[in-house]
Amino acid sequence: MIKEFLEYKLARLGYVDSEILKTPLGTRIVIYAERPSRIIGKKGAVVKELSQILGSKLGVENPQIDVIDISKVDVPEMFPKVVAYRIANAMAKGIRFRRVAFIAIRQVTEAGARGFELVISGKLSTERAKFEKYKIGKVYKTGADSTKTMRSAVVHVLLKPGIYGIKATIAPANARFADDFKLKLPVRQEAQAQ
């Protein structure tokens, strides 16, 4: 519930993910953001407002909010929410969706992702809604890898023709998938007949 609230409240401010940790002093909430300064606000105004709302309406006892820059933790292009928001912002500025999609594909593959799938849907070129799918590398769609290892995010953006949906799915470079294996060479034992 806390994560949903943070996602709703901080969607336009560069929110990526959050961790909730229970401590003896209260509840520590670590927010990972693309632009931490926008989430903190002037003199910490946004963080103070968030902690008041979390304490009063959601019943979180003594909330302590930390905001961390996502680029210090991992490569931002490995987070699908960051990629999807960049695409949505570029489309809102008037850049064509295909150009933005190919730029996103290039950035994610240069960051070292194993696989990337992007689906953009809406009134792309005509009055009739359709979708375009871009895929590069390995993208797991079934099994435990699809639910546990793959990262996925959906972002909606309202433009003049209507609402557009952007779904980004990334197979991270450092993750271990079920089809990864290494062969062990047999160990030769010396002849003990001597």
Side-chain angles (χ1 to χ4, degrees):
M1 196 166 144
I2 295 169
K3 283 192 173 196
E4 286 179 15
F5 169 73
L6 291 173
E7 176 132 10
Y8 171 75
K9 192 80 173 165
L10 307 172
R12 298 280 175 223
L13 301 177
Y15 170 83
V16 177
D17 198 11
S18 61
E19 282 182 16
I20 301 161
L21 308 164
K22 294 253 183 184
T23 61
L25 299 174
T27 307
R28 185 168 176 240
I29 300 168
V30 181
I31 297 174
Y32 298 104
E34 192 176 12
R35 296 186 195 115
S37 59
R38 291 179 71 189
I39 288 183
I40 295 170
K42 284 189 177 179
K43 297 181 181 177
V46 178
V47 171
K48 286 177 188 172
E49 179 191 345
L50 277 176
S51 60
Q52 285 177 347
I53 293 171
L54 287 170
S56 63
K57 292 189 177 175
L58 295 177
V60 178
E61 56 184 71
N62 193 16
Q64 299 168 344
I65 299 174
D66 295 334
V67 183
I68 297 175
D69 190 0
I70 198 72
S71 61
K72 292 179 181 173
V73 177
D74 199 359
V75 182
E77 284 80 17
M78 285 292 139
F79 292 91
K81 193 169 285 185
V82 172
V83 174
Y85 271 123
R86 286 181 184 172
I87 293 169
N89 291 336
M91 286 175 68
K93 290 176 186 172
I95 302 171
R96 296 289 299 158
F97 71 94
R98 279 195 186 102
R99 179 184 174 118
V100 177
F102 287 121
I103 289 170
I105 288 169
R106 190 182 75 238
Q107 288 176 345
V108 171
T109 52
E110 284 176 1
R114 221 183 255 200
F116 177 57
E117 183 179 68
L118 176 66
V119 180
I120 302 175
S121 59
K123 294 181 182 176
L124 300 176
S125 57
T126 60
E127 278 297 307
R128 186 123 179 159
K130 62 178 187 174
F131 72 93
E132 287 203 11
K133 188 184 287 189
Y134 306 92
K135 185 176 168 187
I136 189 163
K138 272 188 173 182
V139 178
Y140 299 86
K141 300 215 177 193
T142 59
D145 287 338
S146 67
T147 56
K148 293 180 182 173
T149 318
M150 297 293 292
R151 297 177 181 172
S152 185
V154 177
V155 172
H156 298 92
V157 60
L158 177 62
L159 301 178
K160 208 169 188 180
I163 292 181
Y164 289 81
I166 300 152
K167 181 181 180 188
T169 308
I170 297 175
N174 54 2
R176 190 170 188 283
F177 293 98
D179 59 350
D180 293 344
F181 61 91
K182 290 182 181 178
L183 293 175
K184 289 184 179 178
L185 295 173
V187 179
R188 289 191 170 198
Q189 295 180 357
E190 295 296 321
Q192 297 179 3
Q194 296 178 11

